[in-house]
Amino acid sequence: MPEDKSFHMTPDEFRKLGHQAIDWIADYQRNIESYPVLSQAAPGQIRAALPVDPPAHSESWAKILEDLDRIILPGITHWQSPNFFAYFPSNNSGPSILGDLISSGLGVQGMLWATSPACTELETHVLDWLVTMLDLPRKFLSTSEGGGVIQDTASSASLCAILAAREQTTQFQANQQGCNGKLVAYTSSQAHSSIEKNVKIAGIGADNLRLIDVDANFAMRPEALKKQIEHDLANGRIPFFVCATVGTTCSNALDPVAEIGRICCQHDLWLHVDAAMSGTAALCPEFRYIHDGIAAADSYTFNPHKWMFTNFDCNCFYVADRSALIRTLSVLPEYLRNQATESGAVLDYRDWQIPLGRRFRSLKLWFVVRHYGIEGLQYHIRRHVELAKRFAQWVANDKRFELAAPVPLNLVCFRHKGGDEANQKIMDRLNRSGDLYLTHTRLNDRMTLRLCVGQTHTQARHVERAIERICEEAARI
Ligand SMILES: *Cc1c(COP(=O)(O)O)cnc(C)c1O
């Protein structure tokens, strides 16, 4: 029973139990390689272990932690394992976890500048730092006409971009009257599924999203984009938005942003660049070519919560003209009116996103950038790319396997030459073994394995072991 009978944790209890919780996380980090990477739980297994009824009375912390180990851990897929090579990384780090914890402790609601000035100003400042760190166009700085904001996900960032583009094109009439069905959006056939979801949400309609053809490297073909835009214009449609991807989810393909940008300028279309995972690579000067042509972008997004050691959720979204975004998303009810807002001297980030409320997410990003410094971040990005290239080199040299796409950064798409069934078998056996976890995609309608290097603690020995295990399974088919 809590000491003060209020049922709350006292600060002293919190201190004691908090230390235990940190110990739990530290032990988890130390032992992480001992768990099967992919959870081996069967559907319903976790719920079956939980009591049917909620507790009527307060339970002990010891019991709660015990259940965490006994019930929850077996149902965890270990995204923080150095042997996690699936999907894309969702990496974290000590400074990020601590930043998130302190953010929870402060429990700030940062919807307006006035509801916690530091929450807004630190966010603005760190996002300006990142413009410099990634060498993004200066128009994305808050000191120019644009600026950056932290969103929960790249999906939300792209939705905001589509909405602002829709309003700019319709002179802010779509917000008022709804869409007229004439607006057309463009992206490549390899773009992330969030773009399709977003055109549905934004009232554009999935039928009005053109999935432009790609070249042999899975990058958008600009001449096909140009042709489609001209075709739509000739049919009385209103092209308004193009999303180029820097590092597609399937194969890490890099759309030719410069050429796409020229077409957008010609037709006065909003260019959004989705660099969700790969944008982080621009921390290193030698990888900045991935952003060639980005000066033409109206908006840009990347996810520190994928490949920059900042735990989910933390997406950075930049616009060149913040007034278009703010005008699109701003609604001012009486209860949010305040002097700082009226003065025009502050940013209110609620006007830059879909929800009203927002967490203090810049704290963890600030901790990460300060803990690692630019040098530390560059070091790890370079290591990951080097390890992916080393893996690709092995694929290229092993007669049983082939590369399925170029490897510009940290993702290797490859396949066994024995066909879809062989690849499926190899993948299933690897994942069931728990030794490592990788996932697949389809490229040119063939089953393709993906190995993505980006987990915080992945080192050469983990990639070497992956090669060993893949070879073992290949020998069995
Ligand atoms: C992962 C990914 C997304 C989605 O990211 P969320 O932050 O989960 O919404 C969007 N685009 C690309 C290219 C991605 O790789």
Side-chain angles (χ1 to χ4, degrees):
M1 175 55 84
E3 277 168 23
D4 65 355
K5 308 257 192 298
S6 75
F7 298 95
H8 291 310
M9 240 181 223
T10 63
D12 282 339
E13 283 172 321
F14 178 79
R15 186 186 313 280
K16 195 172 127 236
L17 300 174
H19 284 146
Q20 277 180 31
I22 295 286
D23 281 344
W24 189 93
I25 298 172
D27 287 343
Y28 175 68
Q29 290 176 336
R30 181 178 298 150
N31 300 328
I32 194 150
E33 289 185 54
S34 68
Y35 303 110
V37 186
L38 174 66
S39 168
Q40 312 283 308
Q45 178 189 322
I46 307 304
R47 285 204 68 181
L50 293 165
V52 175
D53 295 315
H57 305 290
S58 172
E59 296 192 82
S60 78
W61 191 252
K63 178 83 173 39
I64 295 169
L65 273 187
E66 187 190 307
D67 286 349
L68 179 62
D69 287 328
R70 187 175 61 88
I71 304 173
I72 303 301
L73 261 190
I76 294 295
T77 287
H78 300 280
W79 285 72
Q80 305 311 321
S81 166
N83 296 309
F84 183 99
F85 300 104
Y87 307 105
F88 42 74
S90 183
N91 62 23
N92 71 14
S93 63
S96 162
I97 297 167
L98 295 176
D100 217 29
L101 183 63
I102 292 175
S103 164
S104 294
L106 291 171
V108 154
Q109 235 288 12
M111 57 198 178
L112 300 169
W113 178 89
T115 59
S116 238
C119 178
T120 294
E121 293 193 17
L122 182 65
E123 185 163 331
T124 307
H125 203 74
V126 173
L127 270 82
D128 278 356
W129 275 2
L130 280 163
V131 169
T132 310
M133 290 166 68
L134 301 181
D135 198 24
L136 295 172
R138 303 189 66 77
K139 63 182 178 180
F140 290 148
L141 288 171
S142 66
T143 45
S144 73
E145 306 286 293
V149 59
I150 298 181
Q151 305 267 346
D152 53 2
T153 59
S155 303
S156 296
S158 296
L159 176 58
C160 290
I162 290 173
L163 294 172
R166 184 191 76 183
E167 291 313 301
Q168 194 169 64
T169 303
T170 63
Q171 273 97 47
F172 298 87
Q173 286 309 297
N175 257 353
Q176 224 44 51
Q177 299 157 4
C179 280
N180 62 9
K182 286 191 172 173
L183 294 172
V184 184
Y186 305 81
T187 195
S188 91
S189 60
Q190 298 291 306
H192 190 261
S193 55
S194 56
I195 303 301
E196 183 188 338
K197 192 172 183 175
N198 288 337
V199 294
K200 292 180 182 175
I201 297 169
I204 306 302
D207 288 350
N208 300 318
L209 174 66
R210 307 281 186 254
L211 298 178
I212 304 300
D213 218 7
V214 293
D215 64 18
N217 291 336
F218 308 102
M220 191 194 290
R221 289 177 47 222
E223 66 285 1
L225 172 67
K226 189 166 157 32
K227 225 189 229 163
Q228 184 65 53
I229 291 170
E230 283 163 2
H231 176 82
D232 288 325
L233 282 169
N235 284 292
R237 309 302 299 275
I238 307 171
F240 81 107
F241 174 87
V242 178
C243 173
T245 312
V246 168
T248 60
T249 314
C250 275
S251 72
N252 225 353
L254 306 166
D255 284 347
V257 177
E259 284 171 78
I260 293 169
R262 273 192 286 280
I263 296 167
C264 289
C265 283
Q266 211 175 349
H267 294 285
D268 202 17
L269 310 183
W270 183 292
L271 173 61
H272 174 62
V273 175
D274 174 3
M277 175 176 72
S278 301
T280 303
L283 287 167
C284 307
E286 68 270 33
F287 301 134
R288 287 194 184 145
Y289 73 89
I290 66 173
H291 286 155
D292 279 353
I294 204 177
D298 296 285
S299 54
Y300 171 85
T301 193
F302 89 107
N303 278 338
H305 71 219
K306 275 186 171 159
W307 195 22
M308 219 179 92
F309 317 106
T310 309
N311 52 282
F312 193 88
D313 51 356
C314 187
N315 163 272
C316 295
F317 176 51
Y318 290 95
V319 287
D321 171 12
R322 63 176 175 261
S323 66
L325 178 68
I326 292 170
R327 206 173 146 196
T328 300
L329 298 177
S330 173
V331 177
L332 185 59
E334 185 55 35
Y335 51 80
L336 292 180
R337 285 186 186 278
N338 67 86
Q339 261 181 4
T341 298
E342 310 279 321
S343 77
V346 301
L347 296 179
D348 291 323
Y349 278 131
R350 72 183 185 102
D351 295 331
W352 298 54
Q353 62 173 24
I354 307 293
L356 171 62
R358 56 203 328 275
R359 303 181 70 234
F360 194 172
R361 283 176 297 216
S362 59
L363 207 52
K364 62 188 171 190
L365 195 50
W366 189 48
F367 280 17
V368 166
V369 171
R370 294 185 66 182
H371 174 87
Y372 286 94
I374 294 172
E375 176 189 52
L377 295 171
Q378 288 174 335
Y379 172 82
H380 288 289
I381 295 305
R382 285 185 178 125
R383 290 280 295 150
H384 288 161
V385 173
E386 187 190 307
L387 290 175
K389 301 246 178 194
R390 211 187 288 181
F391 181 86
Q393 196 59 50
W394 163 72
V395 173
N397 290 336
D398 190 310
K399 285 190 183 57
R400 296 167 295 181
F401 289 90
E402 65 186 4
L403 289 170
V407 183
L409 299 168
N410 61 331
L411 173 68
V412 185
C413 288
F414 68 108
R415 62 171 78 91
H416 189 277
K417 291 176 184 166
D420 286 4
E421 213 176 302
N423 285 288
Q424 186 75 47
K425 251 189 206 159
I426 291 171
M427 186 177 80
D428 289 346
R429 284 178 179 165
L430 288 170
N431 292 344
R432 258 200 314 268
S433 78
D435 294 341
L436 69 156
Y437 182 25
L438 44 81
T439 50
H440 79 288
T441 186
R442 285 194 90 75
L443 291 175
N444 294 325
D445 205 30
R446 292 162 72 192
M447 163 114 179
T448 305
L449 304 177
R450 292 166 79 266
L451 182 128
C452 193
V453 183
Q455 211 294 316
T456 308
H457 297 289
T458 298
Q459 292 165 16
R461 69 183 170 91
H462 302 104
V463 174
E464 281 155 18
R465 174 85 178 124
I467 293 173
E468 241 175 70
R469 289 291 293 112
I470 293 166
C471 286
E472 279 169 22
E473 297 303 342
R476 290 179 59 197
I477 56 166

